[in-house]
Amino acid sequence: MRKLVLLVFIISLHSTFISCSDNEETTQPITTDISITSSVSTVTWTDSNDLTQKLESVLSYSYGSALVSETEKQQTFNADTTQVNASIGFKTGFQNEYIDTNPSNNSVTITLIKEIEPPSPESVELNADGPGGTYDLITSVLAPGHNPIEVPDCNHAAFGDHIDEIFDNELNTNVFQFYIHVSPDNDRCISFDRQRNEIKTYGQSPDNLLGVENETVVYKWKFKLKSGFQSSPNFTHIHQLKSVGGSLESMPMYTLTTRKGSPDKLQLRYAETDNQVTVSETELAPLIDTWVEVTETIKYGTSGTYEIEIKNVSNGTILFDYSNPSIINWRPGATFVRPKWGIYRSLINEQDLRDETVLFADFSITEI
């Protein structure tokens, strides 16, 4: 009987020991604070990669006493991607091991603004396409259904069209030829002390070919003055920007002028009002018998900007450049500004001139 009582006592003591041991191994949840913060309330983004990088850079996480591997982060976007909710929480296997003391800081909402890139500006181009129909080609681009060509055909019909097209081996493309003759060419049978062979945009041209106030326009073209080219000591214009409207419209705002001298010069002329001055010049010789490319960028307005660069097509050498970051490029009463290209020269000293053929190619007008 004593043995039985002793055995029961031992079994009971053992059970009590095991029970006490189990209670000692039971762990309580760890109290901590995990959180997420954002350095901004709004993010502007362009594409998914950009958005991912920007969110990574603005979000900060605090893990408290937990390990990073015990937490999980999520980003939930609304339907139109104008908001994202970023959050942090414990993974399923660790949710009973931690008590978060402040769940209210476990998420942030950020407003998203998609940055829409403006469409690339479209250029209007006038490119020679081979002999025949040259006037029609020019008209179709610069003023469809109208007449953007100012040629001396009226007094020299026997010669034929004073602008045509040929294939140029150096550029490996078709180009325009502008002809001018010391006699009998004049200025459209209107003025006889000068002669003109130019193309232009004007009031009948599409709006995107006319420069207007507060607009920036890029004009590009190529030209070649043939060997032996002779300039007037008065003026020989090969490009003009002219305002239309107001009392100052007769004076070109900008001109590229070749001028006889010692040596001959290429001049950039500018007129804020009715007085034109030379703002920059260079010797003409490096431009002779050489295809050059002109890029002219102008912001029209009373607080305008202007930049021009002429470079050698074959090797990229810059032969002439000029820029002005603050210049008046708009005149009182003006409605628009139009470009002109060709050859327009004085006949006052015709003994200094010869018959000329000036080559042009690859005209473009781009509104920015």
Side-chain angles (χ1 to χ4, degrees), residues 208-248:
N208 60 344
L209 300 183
L210 307 176
V212 297
E213 193 170 11
N214 299 319
E215 180 179 61
T216 299
V217 183
V218 179
Y219 303 100
K220 295 187 72 172
W221 70 97
K222 298 182 179 77
F223 74 89
K224 181 178 181 179
L225 306 177
K226 291 191 174 183
S227 179
F229 181 85
Q230 294 178 206
S231 302
S232 166
N234 304 96
F235 67 86
T236 302
H237 300 327
I238 55 177
H239 169 61
Q240 302 177 65
L241 291 177
K242 295 194 70 175
S243 62
V244 175
S247 61
L248 300 171

Side-chain angles (χ1 to χ4, degrees), residues 26 49 120 124 128 179-180 194 203 239 257 268 290 300 334 342 357-358:
T26 299
N49 289 333
S120 299
V124 175
Y179 300 97
I180 203 76
R194 62 196 62 197
H239 169 61
T257 299
L268 176 64
T290 300
Y300 291 111
T357 303
V358 181

Side-chain angles (χ1 to χ4, degrees), residues 76-92:
T76 304
F77 298 87
N78 65 349
D80 58 1
T81 323
T82 58
Q83 279 189 337
V84 60
N85 181 267
S87 61
I88 184 173
F90 291 107
K91 291 181 179 178
T92 302

Side-chain angles (χ1 to χ4, degrees), residues 36-297:
I36 179 174
T37 58
S38 174
S39 59
V40 299
S41 60
T42 301
V43 167
T44 301
W45 58 288
T46 56
D47 55 38
S48 58
N49 289 333
D50 179 54
L51 179 57
T52 299
Q53 292 175 3
K54 286 182 175 177
L55 289 177
E56 287 179 356
S57 68
V58 303
L59 293 174
S60 298
Y61 298 88
S62 176
Y63 304 96
S65 302
L67 299 176
V68 175
S69 60
E70 296 173 332
T71 66
E72 61 181 355
K73 295 172 278 223
Q74 291 185 333
Q75 293 177 4
T76 304
F77 298 87
N78 65 349
D80 58 1
T81 323
T82 58
Q83 279 189 337
V84 60
N85 181 267
S87 61
I88 184 173
F90 291 107
K91 291 181 179 178
T92 302
F94 298 94
Q95 291 176 357
N96 294 327
E97 296 188 17
Y98 293 94
I99 295 177
D100 192 347
T101 59
N102 187 18
S104 64
N105 62 11
N106 286 10
S107 66
V108 293
T109 298
I110 302 173
T111 299
L112 304 177
I113 299 176
K114 181 67 180 293
E115 194 172 69
I116 306 297
E117 294 187 8
S120 299
E122 293 186 4
S123 297
V124 175
E125 299 181 350
L126 171 59
N127 300 310
D129 61 4
T134 301
Y135 287 5
D136 290 338
L137 171 63
I138 295 169
T139 297
S140 70
V141 175
L142 298 185
H146 299 279
N147 183 23
I149 304 168
E150 298 178 338
V151 289
D153 295 2
C154 65
N155 199 47
H156 197 183
F159 177 77
D161 292 349
H162 278 69
I163 306 174
D164 63 14
E165 300 163 77
I166 61 167
F167 185 84
D168 183 84
N169 291 322
E170 184 177 348
L171 293 185
N172 194 35
T173 191
N174 293 295
V175 302
F176 296 101
Q177 293 187 117
F178 286 61
Y179 300 97
I180 203 76
H181 309 92
V182 177
S183 179
D185 293 351
N186 55 44
D187 183 3
R188 298 163 294 168
C189 297
I190 299 172
S191 298
F192 300 90
D193 63 343
R194 62 196 62 197
Q195 46 192 197
R196 184 193 304 268
N197 185 4
E198 292 183 312
I199 61 175
K200 65 182 181 181
T201 68
Y202 72 127
Q204 304 302 320
S205 300
D207 289 344
N208 60 344
L209 300 183
L210 307 176
V212 297
E213 193 170 11
N214 299 319
E215 180 179 61
T216 299
V217 183
V218 179
Y219 303 100
K220 295 187 72 172
W221 70 97
K222 298 182 179 77
F223 74 89
K224 181 178 181 179
L225 306 177
K226 291 191 174 183
S227 179
F229 181 85
Q230 294 178 206
S231 302
S232 166
N234 304 96
F235 67 86
T236 302
H237 300 327
I238 55 177
H239 169 61
Q240 302 177 65
L241 291 177
K242 295 194 70 175
S243 62
V244 175
S247 61
L248 300 171
E249 68 175 3
S250 62
M251 174 62 71
M253 187 184 303
Y254 289 94
T255 65
L256 277 179
T257 299
T258 70
R259 195 177 303 276
K260 181 181 179 180
S262 298
D264 290 356
K265 297 290 184 66
L266 175 73
Q267 298 177 330
L268 176 64
R269 306 269 292 169
Y270 166 74
E272 178 182 331
T273 56
D274 57 357
N275 180 39
Q276 195 176 62
V277 296
T278 299
V279 294
S280 187
E281 64 181 14
T282 189
E283 290 190 17
L284 185 62
L287 284 76
I288 298 295
D289 203 29
T290 300
W291 273 108
V292 298
E293 182 176 45
V294 186
T295 303
E296 181 182 42
T297 305

Side-chain angles (χ1 to χ4, degrees), residues 27-39:
T27 57
Q28 296 296 321
I30 299 171
T31 300
T32 190
D33 182 20
I34 59 174
S35 63
I36 179 174
T37 58
S38 174
S39 59

